[in-house]
């Protein structure tokens, strides 16, 4: 089995080996067919069939590479259709002549006992009926097989290459988006801690501890495509506790859960939504801001809903859309159409709902 796997791997990686294997298989099938047919007629021996088939295959190989690497790229793909027809007809007639010449002047002298009569090259060239009936169809058939197999595998490799590139592109984009999110989050959080330290608040050490837990999650648990929902919920709770240090008792935050079983979700998506609510909701409301969060995972559907109050004096700006834009890009890359992100609200509230079909 190991030897077979090594051989398969060698064939897959070596283009020349693939071509040799293809022609060997095709030659063997043609030879087997002729041996069976001629054995019934008692006309050719196996050695004679081997010689005649081998000589004929020379022309077929030349014709196949001419069509695949010259005729198709330089005439068909170049859209020189009239010229391509003329070249095709002329080339295949010459291939038929060449094949007949090799059979008559190379193969027959190897198996026939002289003296015997041979057609001249001029006679072979002018005998178009025999060429069209016997030689050209055989050459054309094997050329078509070669071209079909070649383009089938090239198409498969091209699709595989595109899928690989698309996957790599998605992974790079996701890493880039996370790279944009993490500094954005850290900037806001460090500003909060700085504000507490300026007034020598006793809450400073608590906020640093919460930040340490958050960084542990962000740096060491978010390297994969997905993380556990339970882990993300713990991250959100730490973040909320960290943010609540800024607002004393005037901020009201409710966090409800309806989770039947744990699941996996993209990392930091929910944090970005919560951060957005704090920054552009509670952060802009000098009164008594409220943030309501609900997480649900049941009946093969994950739902995250966050609602925050908005100050009457709040004015939206494009910078506030950065977090939501990152969220949507990541969701597009991971879920395609298997999710729904709804953004809305009223004059006094802002609401975001994320639904994902598990």
């Amino acid at each position: 089995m190991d030897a077979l796997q090594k051989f398969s791997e060698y064939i897959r990686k070596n283009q020349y080996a693939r071509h040799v294997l293809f022609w060997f298989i095709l030659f063997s099938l043609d030879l087997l067919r002729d041996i069976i047919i001629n054995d019934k007629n008692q006309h050719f021996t196996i050695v004679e069939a081997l010689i005649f088939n081998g000589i004929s295959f020379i022309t077929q190989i030349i014709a196949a590479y001419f069509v695949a690497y010259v005729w198709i790229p330089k005439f068909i793909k170049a859209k020189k259709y009239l010229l391509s027809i003329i070249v095709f007809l002329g080339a295949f007639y010459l291939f038929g002549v060449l094949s007949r010449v090799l059979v008559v002047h190379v193969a027959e002298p190897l198996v026939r006992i002289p003296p015997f009569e041979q057609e001249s090259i001029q006679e072979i060239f002018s005998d178009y009926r025999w060429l069209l009936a016997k030689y050209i169809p055989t050459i054309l058939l094997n050329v078509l097989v070669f071209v079909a197999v070649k383009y089938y595998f090239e198409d498969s490799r091209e699709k595989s290459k595109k899928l690989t590139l698309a996957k790599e592109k998605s992974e790079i984009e996701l890493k880039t988006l996370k790279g944009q999110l993490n500094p954005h989050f850290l900037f806001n959080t460090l500003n909060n801690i700085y504000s507490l330290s300026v007034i020598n608040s006793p809450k400073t050490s608590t906020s640093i501890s919460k930040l340490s837990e958050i960084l542990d999650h962000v740096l060491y648990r978010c390297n994969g495509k997905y993380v556990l929902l339970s882990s993300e919920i713990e991250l959100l709770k730490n973040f909320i506790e960290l943010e609540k240090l800024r607002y004393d008792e005037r901020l009201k935050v409710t966090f409800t859960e309806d989770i039947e079983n744990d699941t996996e979700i993209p990392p930091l998506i929910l944090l970005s939504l919560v951060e957005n609510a704090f920054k552009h909701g509670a952060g802009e409301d000098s009164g008594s801001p409220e943030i309501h969060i609900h997480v649900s995972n049941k009946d093969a559907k994950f739902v995250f809903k966050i609602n925050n109050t908005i100050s009457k004096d709040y004015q939206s700006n494009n910078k506030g859309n950065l977090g939501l834009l990152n969220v949507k890009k990541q969701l597009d890359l991971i879920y395609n159409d298997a999710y729904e992100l709804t953004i809305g609200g009223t004059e006094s509230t802002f609401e975001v709902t994320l639904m994902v079909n598990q």
Side-chain angles (χ1 to χ4, degrees):
M1 182 61 69
D2 290 340
L4 182 60
Q5 288 178 346
K6 289 180 180 179
F7 176 75
S8 176
E9 186 69 15
Y10 175 76
I11 293 297
R12 188 180 67 83
K13 292 182 177 180
N14 193 304
Q15 180 181 359
Y16 299 104
R18 290 197 299 270
H19 283 251
V20 170
L21 180 63
F22 168 82
W23 288 114
F24 174 78
I25 293 173
L26 193 60
F27 175 77
S28 300
L29 292 174
D30 277 10
L31 180 63
L32 181 62
R33 178 200 62 193
D34 288 349
I35 289 174
I36 293 173
I37 294 174
N38 291 324
D39 184 59
K40 292 180 180 180
N41 297 333
Q42 297 295 321
H43 185 61
F44 286 120
T45 65
I46 294 177
V47 174
E48 291 172 340
L50 184 63
I51 292 173
F52 278 106
N53 277 62
I55 294 296
S56 298
F57 244 70
I58 294 174
T59 308
Q60 294 172 22
I61 292 173
I62 295 172
Y65 286 106
F66 168 79
V67 170
Y69 295 100
V70 178
W71 185 68
I72 292 177
K74 295 187 179 297
F75 295 95
I76 296 298
K77 290 185 177 180
K79 298 182 180 180
K80 300 176 182 178
Y81 299 121
L82 180 59
L83 183 59
S84 68
I85 294 173
I86 296 172
V87 171
F88 182 86
L89 295 176
F92 268 83
Y93 192 83
L94 292 177
F95 288 139
V97 171
L98 176 61
S99 182
R100 179 61 180 164
V101 168
L102 292 175
V103 168
V104 172
H105 292 275
V106 178
E108 288 186 358
L110 294 175
V111 299
R112 295 179 66 182
I113 300 174
F116 54 86
E117 294 184 0
Q118 289 180 296
E119 296 174 277
S120 67
I121 295 178
Q122 183 178 358
E123 289 174 326
I124 293 173
F125 194 90
S126 61
D127 192 3
Y128 65 91
R129 291 182 179 178
W130 183 241
L131 295 175
L132 290 173
K134 173 71 175 177
Y135 288 89
I136 293 177
T138 302
I139 296 171
L140 185 59
L141 177 62
N142 284 343
V143 167
L144 289 174
V145 172
F146 173 79
V147 171
V149 171
K150 176 181 180 295
Y151 279 94
Y152 171 78
F153 282 105
E154 283 187 354
D155 183 64
S156 299
R157 286 196 297 272
E158 188 66 24
K159 288 180 179 178
S160 177
K161 184 179 179 180
K162 287 181 179 179
L163 287 173
T164 301
L165 291 174
K167 182 179 178 181
E168 291 177 352
K169 181 174 180 290
S170 295
E171 291 176 352
I172 291 172
E173 288 179 350
L174 282 172
K175 289 179 180 178
T176 302
L177 291 171
K178 289 177 183 178
Q180 293 174 355
L181 177 63
N182 294 346
H184 183 53
F185 157 70
L186 288 174
F187 177 78
N188 292 334
T189 305
L190 289 173
N191 270 345
N192 297 345
I193 295 175
Y194 173 75
S195 299
L196 293 173
S197 66
V198 167
I199 61 174
N200 294 320
S201 171
K203 298 177 182 179
T204 304
S205 59
T206 303
S207 65
I208 293 175
S209 176
K210 292 294 182 183
L211 177 60
S212 176
E213 293 178 19
I214 291 173
L215 289 177
D216 177 70
H217 178 93
V218 171
L219 294 176
Y220 301 109
R221 304 181 193 179
C222 296
N223 295 325
K225 189 176 182 180
Y226 298 100
V227 294
L228 288 174
L229 173 60
S230 57
S231 178
E232 286 292 288
I233 289 176
E234 188 64 27
L235 171 68
L236 296 183
K237 290 179 177 179
N238 283 333
F239 178 82
I240 291 170
E241 289 302 315
L242 186 61
E243 287 291 290
K244 285 172 69 175
L245 294 174
R246 297 173 54 198
Y247 298 96
D248 297 321
E249 300 299 325
R250 67 186 184 88
L251 172 65
K252 179 182 178 182
V253 180
T254 61
F255 194 114
T256 58
E257 304 173 35
D258 186 10
I259 300 174
E260 290 183 349
N261 56 284
D262 209 353
T263 187
E264 290 186 328
I265 61 172
L268 307 178
I269 292 287
L270 304 185
L271 177 62
S272 184
L273 296 176
V274 173
E275 182 188 13
N276 188 74
F278 272 97
K279 183 177 180 181
H280 303 290
E284 300 290 339
D285 193 340
S286 58
S288 300
E290 295 183 10
I291 297 177
H292 304 283
I293 302 170
H294 179 71
V295 185
S296 171
N297 186 50
K298 60 181 182 179
D299 301 327
K301 180 174 287 188
F302 169 73
V303 178
F304 181 83
K305 183 181 293 185
I306 183 165
N307 178 290
N308 62 269
T309 56
I310 301 176
S311 171
K312 295 179 180 180
D313 300 326
Y314 174 69
Q315 292 183 352
S316 178
N317 57 68
N318 292 331
K319 291 182 179 180
N321 296 327
L322 176 62
L324 294 179
L325 182 62
N326 279 343
V327 168
K328 190 174 188 313
K329 285 182 178 179
Q330 290 191 62
L331 292 171
D332 285 339
L333 289 170
I334 295 172
Y335 290 118
N336 292 323
D337 297 326
Y339 83 96
E340 183 178 346
L341 183 66
T342 305
I343 302 172
T346 64
E347 292 182 357
S348 58
T349 61
F350 184 79
E351 183 173 290
V352 178
T353 303
L354 170 63
M355 291 188 292
V356 179
N357 295 320
Q358 299 290 333

